[in-house]
Amino acid sequence: MSHRSGIIENDISAYLNAQAEKSFLRFITCGSVDDGKSTLIGRLLYDSKMIFEDQLAALENESKKHGTQGQNIDFALLVDGLAAEREQGITIDVAYRFFTTDKRKFIVADTPGHEQYTRNMATGASTADLAVLMIDARKGILTQTKRHSFIVSLLGIKNIVLAINKLDLVDFNQEIFEQINQEYREFASELGFDEIVSIPISALAGDNILENSENTPWYSGPTLMEHLETVEISSEQNDFFFRLPVQWVNRPNHEFRGFSGNISSGSVSVGDEIIALPSLRTSIVKSIIGTKGKKNSAETGEAITLCLVDEIDISRGDVIANVNDRPEVTDQFQAHIIWMHDDDMLPGRPYLFKTTNKTIEGVITELKYKVNVNSLEHESSKILKLNEVGLVNINLGEPIGFDAFNNNKVLGSFIIIDKFTNNTVACGMINFGLRRASNIHWQAVDVNKESRAKQKHQKPKVLWFTGLSGSGKSTIANLVEKKLHAMGNHTYLLDGDNVRHGLNKDLGFTDVDRVENIRRIGEVAHLMVDSGLIVLTAFISPFRAERQMVRKMMGDGEFIEIFVDTPLEVCEQRDIKGLYKKARAGQLKNFTGIDSSYEVPQIAEIHVNTVDNSANEVAEFIIGKLMA
Amino acid sequence: MSLSHLELLEAESVHIMREVAATSSNPVMLYSVGKDSAVMLRLALKAFAPGKLPFPVLHVDTTWKFKEMIAFRDKMVEDNDLNLLVHINAEGVKKGIGPFSHGSAVHTDIMKTVGLKQALDKYSFDAAFGGARRDEEKSRAKERIFSFRSAQHRWNPKNQRPELWNIYNSRINKGESVRVFPLSNWTELDIWQYIHLENIPIVPLYFAANRPVVERDGQLIMVDDNRMPIHADEKIMEKMVRFRTLGCYPLTGAVESEADTLEGIIAEMLLARTSERQGRVIDKDADGSMEQKKQEGYF
């Protein structure tokens, strides 16, 4: 920063005022491994004098130890901040770096190139306005270039800089530059970018980074820094209608009730008429509190607290919007998702969906197709694996107010969270709402569950036996049913024999089919409980998520989970049907306990031990628990 | 007209704080009394105005903080009607742990890192705000805004949750927690500019004044009380000094300076050729030492 020392020494106040007015650009660098992303950032920081002496000394030290540039400074070490990254010489996670010039402040996210770290690349891209896509001039466009372009376009970035790097290694050949430029524009034509600017550079040597290079007399465009300092990011959000996702209801006392959040688009003024979603109640803006106190109007991006003229019921998760142009309200929509976890995405499995201000349970009802991120072709699939992109239909437990992601990034985006591990497993971008559910109404009936149960003198419920193959589920369930029957109860036992051969004979044993198997059994059990029966089910039902899903279908106290806890060794020793032997020999795929997992229940109502007790003792124990 | 970069940073921080207040059941704000904490506190007051802070502030006192820091802390608590919790590692005190007797690494680990973990466990906090910034250090540059910690308070840098847009995943299982960094995207200059713009009070130690110091291992260490052993070859000197960061007084090097106004400090910072963490003894113990400490539960 020394070139500004004159101004700083002379008039610090003027300098500070000028700083406060600066605009802001967030961008990412992406592209293939070894295309020089980290080197470019190191170069930008170094050239804009953002590296302090102690950091430079440490860098020189480390360059000698881990660097790949011989005795020269390895700029990549500046951004690869984790010990594992420096040792392996690769970027694992996104790093955020900061630099400033006289015109702008920048946050740059250096994102990993390896396919296995795509989720970290998406993390960096989600908050960026622009992407600098690096290409090694010697290698041209690689599949990673295409994959990153696609991810970047999915996440709504409209401005691309194609930095054709290492031009010094191809003698600053203009033809090579033009050829890559042309080829990329053809590839990117269907990705919906507003602007692609191609710049010939050498990140290592500094050509066309800050100053125009003498080595490229044929290039008359801006240097990288000139472009970053002046590029205008289309700010459509500001022209869009007013939206305030309510994040927090501020109620310090009886006199004050305000709705806090950041304006995701448009602007609002005192006196405006607003509507709250999904309740559709309307009111007038009474006052606006910004970060500097009361104000008459506020615009996109501001953190505000809104007070209304009427006392209408609004809570966290609602959206306050312009009354003349409101978001859609739906519980079903179509969206692109990027799957980010080692556990596969399974349609039908309940997940948590977190939008900007609300967390709701829901399911992915259908995977329409997955996109081959390297060729952009659509491929059919039943599941999504780590780093795969798909177009899906989603059904939420309750309606939300939303806009299409293309119109409003904030109200059109969501993440998906695993209910049990709480990991973020995916991110999604909403395309449009689906309205099929609104046409199916429940048939109101006069004879209901209560009247049917009363006639049978029993409380309908499901006894859900879960455990490994050979644990004794069917044997015990059978004994329990006999005892219940003898006591005059109306019961029905669902097990593999009467379900797998009929209702579910089209299903196999993959994870996807196991989820569907349990969903159907759950629905059948639900109908039987509705008819007043006591239903017993004996299925391995290995996954917590599906057992939880069935539990949710039933009323309070109607779902009794019985964990038949027999250790794998014991089951395998018993091996009544000879299945374990086959599985061990590799003749049976996806066998629970061998090459498919069993998730032990955490909240089973009844837990039984078949090692120390006979089947009959266990059955008596269960009856005792049920009577208690 | 769109927002300036400081207005954008401010809005982002406020959003983060409200999100934690709305989704965590027992949040707390770490208050270290320094300039970053001063900004974080101001932002929190704005986020919930006209209401009070919906969470307490926690100071992990190592018993070796500058006297002026403690006085300043107590004044801030009174002026802003804060619910302050102070935690001191009583076991460490009993064992007489200190930077002079046990060295910087042991002292920081026992009195700061272990003390912090004790406090988080004691009150069962499930979310804790920290004032760390990504521009401070390389491993911080890699950390998420909502940073997940295991029940043992450990950070796993190789397997962080993806963090998309401004949708933060604060969900945890029992015993686990999140550290939340609302100032992640602020730089040191942003902090000073904001203090200037908003007229935020800061500890007087940031301003140059005549203070008694000793030169030790190339650092100027202030003699803040009589617990500091003065070696035979050392001499207490009165020097015009100030501090760029604040921590335990024996571990915080002063810089010689004439800057006794905010403008003077900022001018000096802009012309500086060394980073602010250089005055911290703890960072230099080993290559990648911050990452190591963070994995063990340091903020």
Side-chain angles (χ1 to χ4, degrees), chain A residues 449 458-466 477 480 484 490-494 518 521-539 541 546-547 549-563 604-606 622 626:
Chain A
K449 181 158 69 180
Q458 66 185 27
K459 192 176 175 313
K461 53 172 87 77
V462 181
L463 307 181
W464 188 276
F465 291 79
T466 172
V480 172
L484 287 172
H490 297 248
T491 60
Y492 192 85
L493 173 63
L494 287 166
I518 298 302
I521 292 161
E523 292 290 357
V524 170
H526 179 228
L527 292 177
M528 287 181 164
V529 166
D530 198 50
S531 75
L533 294 180
I534 295 175
V535 187
L536 301 92
T537 69
F539 299 92
S541 46
E546 282 68 55
R547 295 194 299 261
M549 172 174 73
V550 179
R551 180 185 288 274
K552 282 244 166 120
M553 290 178 192
M554 310 298 167
D556 276 349
E558 285 178 356
F559 186 83
I560 315 283
E561 190 168 340
I562 302 173
F563 177 30
E605 277 76 8
I606 302 177
I622 292 170
L626 292 175

Side-chain angles (χ1 to χ4, degrees), chain B residues 122-138:
Chain B
K122 178 178 168 190
Y123 298 99
S124 307
F125 292 123
D126 57 353
F129 292 105
R133 310 185 319 265
R134 284 171 172 159
D135 76 328
E136 280 178 74
E137 197 273 338
K138 286 191 283 206

Side-chain angles (χ1 to χ4, degrees), chain A residues 53 105 247 291 299 354, chain B residues 1 15 46 168 190 273:
Chain A
E53 275 168 10
K105 286 224 142 192
Q247 206 189 353
T291 50
E299 59 180 307
K354 185 170 185 197
Chain B
M1 201 200 99
H15 173 261
K46 284 172 183 256
Y168 303 108
D190 295 328
R273 298 304 305 145

